[in-house]
Amino acid sequence: MARPSPINLVSPSHRRRSVSLAALLLGLSTLSSCRLTGSGELPPTSSQTIRTATTYLSDQPLLTGKTAPLAAGKALPNGLAVQAGSTLEYNVGAQCRTFSAQIGLASSAAADSTVTYSVLADGRSMFGPSEVRSGAAPQTVNVDIEGVERLKLVVESKSGAKSVQANWKEAKLSGCVTYSGPIEVGPSATSPIVITGNFRSDDPKVPAIRIETTQPVVIRNCTVAGRGHLISNSRAGANVKIQNCRGFGLNPYVRMVNPGRFVAIEDGSSLVVENSYLKNTGGIYLLGGSTRTTTIKILRNRALNIDGRRSDGAGGWLIPAPGDNPEKFVRAQFVQFNKVVGVSDAEIAWNRVENEPGHSRVEDNINMYASSGTPAHRIRIHHNLIRGAYQYPLSLQSYSGGGIITDGCLSRYIDISENTVLETSNHGIAIANGEYVAIQKNRVYGSGLLPDNSFSGGDDNGIYVRWAGNCDQRGINFGSNIVAYNNIGFAQPSAADRARRRDLAIANARSGTPLATATDNSSALPSDSCLICTDSELIKRAITDWEQQAVASGVEVGTQ
């Protein structure tokens, strides 16, 4: 399959035209501070930085399939007529939020005619198959297609009649934007540099937005899509704030290449990501360096399907076999600190992260690797809702990913508190290495099962503390680690024991000293009971409780 190219959706009242880059990048005083690095249509006006344009599929070119001619005297404004047994495919370019339509058979259909309607987004079933009979009232279809490139509309006959006319009335795309090409942000006479707009890169090696300055850069009210990193820096000392942006990772269409990060900052001084939405990206990545990182704030964001899968080069994903897992995926996280040492103001809070089985490949949702706060200013990870961490494909039973973890030699001065961690397969919250780490007042629940009731492939604990054998234990204050007041119900069922529970495990140091002090932790249910068998609503209640707590705290999560 050839790589799809972006389409340009413009409202009927606008003609497509180029605009100056200065008009596109609000808040910049000099044109030289930003430049386009690739080709692409620019938005018709600078006021349309986030548009809610609507376009009808009847006005868009078909990639494959064909519509049916209408009978004489019949009209179907803004609709599509097809014969049963047809598939229409469109390139929607990751530009729109929803597809909607009214579905039903034409009045000319025989009385015994029956068809099914389906909608597929990048090969994934999003609606149907839904059965429709002749004479029935129209049904409404409303499908989320954010970040989707290929949209398929499928009608199949159930009664055997291929000549019956099936209609997609008012078949429209809503919430559409038009992207410009990738940009580089250089020094400006005005500070901070403020960027709004919609940007896209179809080259996996070129980010949609590249930061090449140490001046404060604010990226807000944007939509960003790309086949590699969406936002990254090429110069040490980057100071970046991202607010109210939507980011979509696209299949790279290059074999063995994975979707890029929503934002990747290496050796930066500050990163703030607030009220944004990430879909099918590799998450948020920070690598420490010679620059002292003072501020990291990851607050009130939503993320769907953190993705470390590698492309097969044809629009699909490579399927690892048991012996070649490392070659077929990368370790992606919602947030990864990598050797970020001594950060004085770091907070990851009130984020909602959800990974769907079979459509994601996250390692640890939040990973603190060889990273640290300070004794007076600890890294604070609190009030996050994390749901899901799964192997890909789901049939593989060996999986090391999970919820929140401190790792590396050595992470320290970290508080992990009041998070809700659900269905994260291998582990919920863990100290793989660390000192002065506190895990307190969290809820960690998992059934150990996939939607089809097969085993999820994990084998570890809801909360665990242990020490990697390759890390030196000399001088480590193991008594500084605290695991307290957590409520845990973490099942790891097996064929031999479907009620097997693994809630909490704290290992000893080589000296025999426990690696953490445990105080007043509790089990969600009796520790010898099957979690889902006993309380099938436990996970749903935990989500509802978190949502209600966010409302009570005045917290709005995601884009506004």
Side-chain angles (χ1 to χ4, degrees), residues 496-546:
D497 183 4
R498 294 193 65 86
R500 184 175 66 163
R501 290 275 293 278
R502 290 191 170 175
D503 287 358
L504 175 64
I506 298 177
N508 290 332
R510 298 185 188 106
S511 63
T513 304
L515 295 175
T517 300
T519 305
D520 291 333
N521 298 288
S522 59
S523 292
L525 297 167
S527 59
D528 59 350
S529 66
C530 167
L531 191 71
I532 295 302
C533 303
T534 307
D535 188 352
S536 61
E537 297 297 310
L538 181 66
I539 302 296
K540 292 180 182 178
R541 282 202 313 275
I543 295 171
T544 300
D545 289 348
W546 183 88

Side-chain angles (χ1 to χ4, degrees), residues 4-9 55-57 60-63 88-100 119-122 143-153 171-179 200 225 227 248 250:
S5 58
I7 59 174
N8 293 284
L9 303 175
T55 189
Y56 291 95
L57 283 181
Q60 296 299 323
L62 270 165
L63 286 178
L88 305 180
E89 183 176 13
Y90 294 88
N91 178 9
V92 294
Q95 293 178 253
C96 301
R97 294 190 183 183
T98 60
F99 164 73
S100 61
V119 178
L120 286 79
D122 285 338
V143 174
D144 176 5
I145 59 167
E146 285 199 284
V148 169
E149 296 194 89
R150 295 291 180 91
L151 182 68
K152 284 186 178 181
L153 311 182
K172 63 184 177 182
L173 307 171
S174 302
C176 303
V177 300
T178 302
Y179 294 107
R200 170 173 173 151
R227 304 190 189 281
F248 305 114
L250 308 178

